[in-house]
Amino acid sequence: METPSLGQATIVSGLHHTVDDGLRIPERIESGSDPGILFELAGPREKIFFDPAKTRAGIVTCGGLCPGLNNVIRSLFLELHYGYGIAEVLGFRGGYAGLDPANGAEPATITPEYIEGIHRQGGTILGTSRGPVDIERAVDNLIRRGVNILFTVGGDGTQRGANALYQEARRRNHPLSVVGVPKTIDNDVGFVARTFGYFSAVEEAVRVLDRAHTEARSTPGGIGLVKLMGRHAGFITAGATIASQDVNFALIPEVPFRLDSFLEALEKRMRQKTHAVIAVAEGAGQELLECGEGAKDASGNLMLKDIGLFLKGQIERHFKEVGVPVVMRYFDPSYLVRSCPANCEDALLCDLFARHAVHAAMAGKTGVVIGFLHERFIHVPIELLAVHVKRLDPDSGWWRSVLAATGQPDCSV
């Protein structure tokens, strides 16, 4: 697939081990199958579009927190500064709101001293927010500040905003490279096999599940119920369940379940084993709750009903009706999970995503997100993210592993 570009790259980069622009990675690699979309392979190019000595870059982090944001900021700067000798790097504060000078947030000038040690901290040193920005004012600001490259670190909503910025700059004939680094601990970004922060979130979730198991097995009739993040995809719940091996029921958005079947299975478990651990993704079972039109958050996402508290109430009511005493222990570690620093695996992934983003931008690529397929980094046109949804496939090895680890019966609708 053709990758958007600002024009022909004519400046010799001087980098070693460069990647040819013509190399492609197929969407699918199954033998005999249609390869699907052919993506441009990411990596350093022999020739670049921007003259480093005359180039100013900007970085913005948007949306909810995720382990590894500071790692990405640090690696973006290090590659720009030491790898290419970029003149200046600005950090826009407070998410997309920081691109609008009317909000009064003056960008930070990023230096080696500014990023010292930030990779050991959770959160983002630049701050973040949800919600859109006035695209025309944002582009006015970028042009006025002489920003040639903008790195947008965030999820689907952030990258939709990045696409709007790229389109507006192109309309004005301003050579602005907009390159996205995909961020979501839910691991649900299209054409990205593994998003940064996911394994750190799973690791933290397993710690909570271990505590829930300890609480449940230490009390006769103990039930540990843990609500994990995952609005539309159950990857965190599935991964933590498989890693923990102490979960008895895992509930995810992709597999709707019958409440009566689940409660019957839980009752059977409690009569036999006297304790249980349940992991539920925040987006699971939404069809069981009374949902009207629903409010939306600042990013335009439908605000979910609380499946955790709903299940807690339903479980307590069911066991009271059948005369089986239980002791509920409810855990909602959402902010604990997403605000931790990146673990070693995610730290490595953050560094690679960031460096490939810099290579793409310096080569004049724009309107792209760095993807990750078949252990290769690729350039994904941002527009594709709007039409490709990544979910956990109930027929995949992921879900079969969950069922094997929990031994839970089929409670699906």
Side-chain angles (χ1 to χ4, degrees), residues 126-290:
L126 296 178
T128 185
S129 64
R130 295 188 183 276
V133 64
D134 185 294
I135 296 298
E136 292 188 3
R137 286 210 300 265
V139 173
D140 284 341
N141 189 30
L142 293 170
I143 293 174
R144 180 174 62 83
R145 294 182 181 278
V147 173
N148 314 102
I149 295 170
L150 180 66
F151 297 102
T152 57
V153 188
D156 288 349
T158 299
Q159 305 312 337
R160 286 193 296 272
N163 187 51
L165 291 167
Y166 147 65
Q167 296 289 357
E168 176 64 17
R170 186 176 69 169
R171 187 183 68 80
R172 301 189 193 188
N173 294 317
H174 175 61
L176 175 69
S177 172
V178 182
V179 178
V181 179
K183 175 231 70 178
T184 169
I185 61 173
D186 289 352
N187 198 35
D188 62 351
V189 176
F191 311 110
V192 181
R194 187 168 69 253
T195 53
F196 75 83
Y198 169 69
F199 277 114
S200 301
V202 167
E203 194 171 289
E204 290 297 313
V206 169
R207 290 192 177 97
V208 178
L209 289 171
D210 288 345
R211 289 353 180 238
H213 183 235
T214 297
E215 286 283 349
R217 71 179 181 179
S218 299
T219 305
I223 297 177
L225 173 61
V226 181
K227 186 179 77 170
L228 297 172
M229 299 188 78
R231 293 180 56 84
H232 305 293
F235 289 107
I236 291 180
T237 298
T241 294
I242 297 166
S244 166
Q245 295 287 309
D246 284 324
V247 176
N248 308 113
F249 297 90
L251 307 172
I252 62 172
E254 296 91 337
V255 184
F257 63 95
R258 290 175 54 91
L259 181 61
D260 55 353
S261 298
F262 164 70
L263 292 172
E264 288 172 9
L266 179 59
E267 180 186 337
K268 182 178 180 181
R269 159 81 191 184
M270 293 303 292
R271 290 185 185 275
Q272 293 175 343
K273 298 289 187 177
T274 74
H275 76 278
V277 176
I278 305 159
V280 57
E282 61 181 327
Q286 291 296 303
E287 65 280 356
L288 300 174
L289 294 94
E290 293 183 5

Side-chain angles (χ1 to χ4, degrees), residues 1-5 21 24 37-40 166 365-368 379-384:
M1 184 169 186
E2 193 66 26
T3 302
S5 173
D21 238 17
R24 296 292 184 269
I37 302 170
L38 297 178
F39 293 101
E40 191 174 81
Y166 147 65
K365 311 297 179 181
T366 186
V368 299
H379 296 153
V380 180
I382 292 177
E383 295 170 343
L384 283 180

Side-chain angles (χ1 to χ4, degrees), residues 42-44 71-72 75-76 79 181-182 194 196 344-360 370-372 375-378:
N71 301 67
V72 171
S75 291
L76 284 171
E79 187 63 42
V181 179
R194 187 168 69 253
F196 75 83
C344 289
E345 183 164 11
D346 277 330
L348 291 171
L349 194 58
C350 288
D351 187 75
L352 291 169
F353 267 115
R355 294 183 191 277
H356 281 91
V358 172
H359 295 319
I370 302 302
F372 185 54
E375 298 300 312
R376 294 290 188 274
F377 289 90
I378 58 175

Side-chain angles (χ1 to χ4, degrees), residues 31-58:
S31 177
S33 69
D34 177 2
I37 302 170
L38 297 178
F39 293 101
E40 191 174 81
L41 182 65
R45 278 5 190 208
E46 182 180 359
K47 293 185 177 180
I48 55 179
F49 182 84
F50 292 106
D51 179 351
K54 301 176 182 178
T55 300
R56 181 175 287 115

Side-chain angles (χ1 to χ4, degrees), residues 268-326:
K268 182 178 180 181
R269 159 81 191 184
M270 293 303 292
R271 290 185 185 275
Q272 293 175 343
K273 298 289 187 177
T274 74
H275 76 278
V277 176
I278 305 159
V280 57
E282 61 181 327
Q286 291 296 303
E287 65 280 356
L288 300 174
L289 294 94
E290 293 183 5
C291 296
E293 293 184 1
K296 294 185 178 181
D297 63 20
S299 297
N301 299 313
L302 187 67
M303 297 180 69
L304 301 176
K305 304 293 183 177
D306 197 326
I307 185 62
L309 292 177
F310 172 79
L311 277 184
K312 178 178 181 293
Q314 292 295 317
I315 291 169
E316 290 174 332
R317 185 174 71 178
H318 174 80
F319 281 95
K320 183 176 181 180
E321 289 175 352
V322 299
V324 176
V326 297

